[in-house]
Amino acid sequence: MSDPNFNNNNVTPPPKKGGTSIALIVGGLVVAVIVLYWLFAGGNGVDNADMVGEETNINVKAGAESAAESIEDAGDAVEAEVDETAAEIDATAAEAEAEIDATETIEVEGEAEVVQ
């Protein structure tokens, strides 16, 4: 009889190959992180040395007078727009009336009218 613990197979097992797919994945992730860093943090920094020598003056006109002036300006703009629209409507109505007056009606027997 044969011994079950003894390997009668004389073929050597194939050598293990591994780690290449993991290395490829890790390398791809490293390249992706570098590209993202380059896109989001690359070279657009503000140089503070250029800003130090200049003076900045900011004037804020706060108060009821400036708010009232802004409201008046907005109201004037709205009134001008309404007047312009009303003039356009009047011109269109006048054109429509002139077109209606220019048509000729021919009466025929009965209740029908033919408009040319």
Side-chain angles (χ1 to χ4, degrees), residues 9-72:
N9 198 359
N10 291 333
V11 178
T12 60
K16 286 189 174 184
K17 290 184 179 180
T20 57
S21 61
I22 296 294
L24 184 65
I25 292 172
V26 170
L29 289 174
V30 168
V31 169
V33 168
I34 290 171
V35 168
L36 288 174
Y37 177 76
W38 179 73
L39 285 175
F40 290 114
N44 290 332
V46 176
D47 189 13
N48 289 335
D50 293 339
M51 298 293 194
V52 173
E54 297 178 16
E55 292 183 20
T56 304
N57 293 325
I58 300 174
N59 296 323
V60 178
K61 192 176 182 184
E65 293 174 1
S66 64
E69 289 173 4
S70 298
I71 291 172
E72 285 179 12

Side-chain angles (χ1 to χ4, degrees), residues 76-93:
D76 292 341
V78 169
E79 285 179 8
E81 186 70 28
V82 167
D83 291 341
E84 183 178 319
T85 305
E88 290 175 6
I89 291 172
D90 290 340
T92 305

Side-chain angles (χ1 to χ4, degrees), residues 98-115:
E99 187 175 321
I100 291 172
D101 291 339
T103 59
E104 296 178 17
T105 55
I106 300 173
E107 294 191 25
V108 291
E109 294 180 14
E111 298 178 19
E113 285 187 8
V114 177
V115 178

